[in-house]
């Protein structure tokens, strides 16, 4: 087991590493949520969240994990018995379906095998009186980023409200909430927004406000939070220190620009794929620039991916993510979301190389890091 003095490397698709300026903000004295100094930060943070979501609508901010805001979408949008269509191609698509069933929705699933990329033209023929369509933007369990713009357009065309889980995608890959006509975008603090876990939010359209259902709700009743936010007077005690930290993180993100963040994520994805392939590993996630959030890799014959992840953690202090569900034992995942650079990728790959070589796997040593660095240096247009 790595001792407390050893360096730890967090390379999972959430939580993700947090920049020192953001950590420093967490060490400031706690603000009272009704004090003027907090209200100022609160207002700025809400405005910045709108910029990141590319929406002019209100963004409702909660102390919760991402799943809490998925639940809020279901609790606010549906009435028991409503027909809901979930597009599912992995662990988090299944979560949408589970939450919707919990609230008594009549759930249909457009079900893909884990790792498949949802196809917008598959959606239209399945839509038949569904009031809500639930989509996953970046399916963190497989590394697939879906074309939610086209999927949402098909759903809207059929008159449904569309909610998108953007927990691992927002701030990493383009997501144009208003321009793409998405009714609800939910996301959280602990991925591309470079802040510890604990805050989550939803951007809600006028259609979604008008189309609210009758499910029981209290903490997650959007109306309560909307009314309170309008007066900058949080209705429940928010995690004020996290709001202060998120505000700092969003200022870093927006100062550098969202486009710069999107470009960096594409290049990180390229670097990770190039390095992994050079060593002889097979990709599970797509081998193209859409896979800018998480790289999922198959382990060589005879190696269990869960064991590999444990070895990396215990021997080198490197935390990667194992495979989930049907991918357990077969796949491991390197997240490159948020405050990441190419040296994080090369560290992750170097650790994987060493651990696999020790496990007796047939991989080529000494090439992954160079391939990753070279791929990262390529200008985007030369792909
Ligand atoms: N959706 C996606 C795509 C995710 O990656 C995650 C977190 N890994 C969640 C939902 C759930 O978020 P949380 O763990 O914060 O509830």
């Amino acid at each position: 087991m790595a001792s407390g003095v050893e360096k730890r490397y967090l390379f999972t698709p959430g939580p993700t590493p947090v920049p020192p300026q953001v950590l420093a903000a967490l060490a400031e004295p706690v603000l009272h949520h009704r004090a003027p100094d907090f209200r100022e930060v609160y207002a700025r943070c809400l405005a910045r969240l709108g910029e990141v979501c590319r929406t002019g609508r209100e963004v409702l901010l909660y102390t919760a994990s991402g799943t809490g805001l998925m639940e809020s979408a279901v609790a606010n949008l549906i009435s028991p018995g409503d027909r809901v269509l979930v597009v599912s191609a992995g662990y988090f698509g299944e979560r949408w379906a589970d939450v919707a069933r919990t609230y008594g929705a009549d759930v249909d699933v457009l079900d893909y095998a884990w790792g498949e990329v949802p196809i917008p033209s598959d959606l239209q023929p399945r839509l038949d009186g569904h009031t809500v369509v639930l989509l996953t933007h970046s399916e963190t369990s497989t590394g697939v980023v879906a074309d939610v713009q086209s999927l949402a357009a098909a759903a809207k065309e059929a008159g449904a409200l569309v909610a998108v889980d953007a927990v691992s995608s927002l701030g990493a890959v383009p997501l144009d909430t208003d321009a793409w006509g998405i009714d609800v975008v939910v996301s959280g603090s602990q991925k591309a927004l470079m802040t510890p876990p604990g805050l989550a939010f939803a951007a809600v359209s006028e259609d979604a406000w008008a189309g609210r259902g009758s499910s029981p709700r209290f903490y997650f009743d959007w109306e309560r939070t909307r009314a309170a936010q309008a007066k900058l007077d949080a209705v429940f005690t928010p995690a004020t220190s996290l709001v202060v930290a998120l505000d700092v993180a969003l200022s870093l993100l927006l100062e550098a620009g969202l486009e710069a963040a999107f470009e960096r994520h594409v290049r990180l994805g390229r670097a990770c794929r190039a390095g992994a392939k050079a060593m002889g590993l097979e990709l599970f996630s797509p081998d193209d620039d859409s896979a800018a959030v998480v790289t999922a890799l198959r382990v060589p014959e005879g190696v269990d991916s869960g064991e590999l992840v444990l070895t990396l953690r215990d021997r080198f202090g490197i935390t990667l993510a194992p495979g989930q569900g049907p991918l357990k034992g077969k796949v491991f995942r390197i997240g490159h979301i948020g405050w990441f650079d190419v040296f994080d990728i090369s560290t992750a790959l170097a650790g994987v190389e060493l651990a696999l070589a020790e496990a007796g796997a047939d991989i080529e040593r000494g090439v992954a890091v160079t391939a990753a660095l070279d791929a990262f240096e390529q200008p985007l247009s030369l792909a």
Side-chain angles (χ1 to χ4, degrees):
M1 182 61 88
S3 77
V5 293
E6 276 175 22
K7 198 159 177 176
R8 308 302 301 260
Y9 303 90
L10 183 62
F11 299 144
T12 63
T16 60
V18 173
Q21 300 93 313
V22 179
L23 292 175
L26 285 168
E28 287 172 13
V30 173
L31 299 182
H32 191 276
H33 57 295
R34 308 206 191 282
D37 45 5
F38 179 73
R39 287 178 203 259
E40 191 185 316
V41 178
Y42 193 29
R44 197 169 54 224
C45 189
L46 293 171
R48 284 177 168 155
L49 281 173
E51 276 186 64
V52 174
C53 294
R54 294 183 155 163
T55 183
R57 315 162 186 162
E58 193 145 14
V59 179
L60 305 173
L61 179 60
Y62 284 84
T63 300
S65 86
T67 307
L69 273 280
M70 293 170 76
E71 177 156 353
S72 84
V74 169
N76 283 272
L77 294 180
I78 73 154
S79 306
D82 276 0
R83 297 195 64 207
V84 169
L85 183 64
V86 177
V87 178
S88 176
Y91 189 78
F92 293 103
E94 290 182 4
R95 181 164 299 179
W96 264 138
D98 287 343
V99 177
R101 283 191 199 104
T102 302
Y103 277 76
D106 177 3
V107 177
D108 284 328
V109 182
L110 172 55
D111 208 2
Y112 294 91
W114 285 41
E116 283 184 357
V117 183
I119 301 166
S121 58
D122 290 346
L123 185 58
Q124 194 260 337
R126 289 292 298 270
L127 284 161
D128 173 25
H130 298 90
T131 54
V132 177
V133 173
L134 301 172
L135 304 174
T136 310
H137 191 196
S138 158
E139 179 48 81
T140 318
S141 62
T142 65
V144 168
V145 175
D147 175 4
V148 290
Q149 181 178 10
S150 303
L151 291 164
K156 292 295 284 179
E157 171 103 23
L161 292 171
V162 182
V164 173
D165 166 357
V167 173
S168 66
S169 59
L170 187 76
V173 293
L175 176 59
D176 245 318
T177 304
D178 288 359
W180 296 359
I182 297 171
D183 292 297
V184 180
V185 164
V186 302
S187 191
S189 55
Q190 79 273 25
K191 312 245 179 189
L193 303 191
M194 307 182 292
T195 303
L199 294 176
F201 46 91
V204 180
S205 73
E206 283 313 316
D207 285 353
W209 283 110
R212 275 169 305 151
S214 64
S215 293
R217 51 196 184 241
F218 188 87
Y219 184 76
F220 284 123
D221 183 355
W222 286 340
E223 190 50 56
R224 273 199 177 77
T225 289
R226 171 155 83 167
Q229 281 187 191
K231 296 178 283 165
L232 292 177
D233 192 15
V235 61
F236 313 113
T237 313
T240 51
S241 298
L242 283 174
V243 176
V244 171
L246 179 61
D247 182 51
V248 173
L250 295 178
S251 78
L252 297 174
L253 178 62
L254 291 168
E255 227 166 78
L258 286 174
E259 293 301 332
F262 301 153
E263 177 178 329
R264 190 179 74 257
H265 283 83
V266 168
R267 293 169 69 197
L268 288 169
R270 284 185 186 175
C272 198
R273 292 191 298 277
K277 286 194 289 187
M279 155 183 4
L281 291 178
E282 203 186 315
L283 295 175
F284 179 82
S285 45
D287 191 4
D288 61 58
D289 283 341
S290 71
V293 180
V294 182
T295 299
L297 298 162
R298 292 184 191 276
V299 270
E301 213 39 51
V303 177
D304 179 280
S305 67
E307 296 288 324
L308 173 69
V309 167
L310 290 182
T311 303
L312 285 162
R313 186 193 67 190
D314 294 345
R315 291 256 289 115
F316 312 128
I318 294 176
T319 305
L320 304 184
Q324 292 165 298
L327 306 180
K328 195 165 182 279
K330 298 178 185 150
V331 157
F332 65 99
R333 294 169 296 143
I334 301 175
H336 26 86
I337 316 177
W339 195 53
F340 257 78
D341 68 18
V342 72
F343 299 105
D344 296 316
I345 298 290
S346 52
T347 301
L349 292 171
V352 167
E353 178 183 307
L354 204 50
L356 284 175
E358 283 185 5
D362 181 21
I363 51 147
E364 174 138 7
R365 294 211 51 191
V367 290
V369 168
T370 305
L373 295 174
D374 283 350
F376 189 79
E377 287 309 309
Q378 295 283 326
L380 276 193
S381 54
L382 293 187

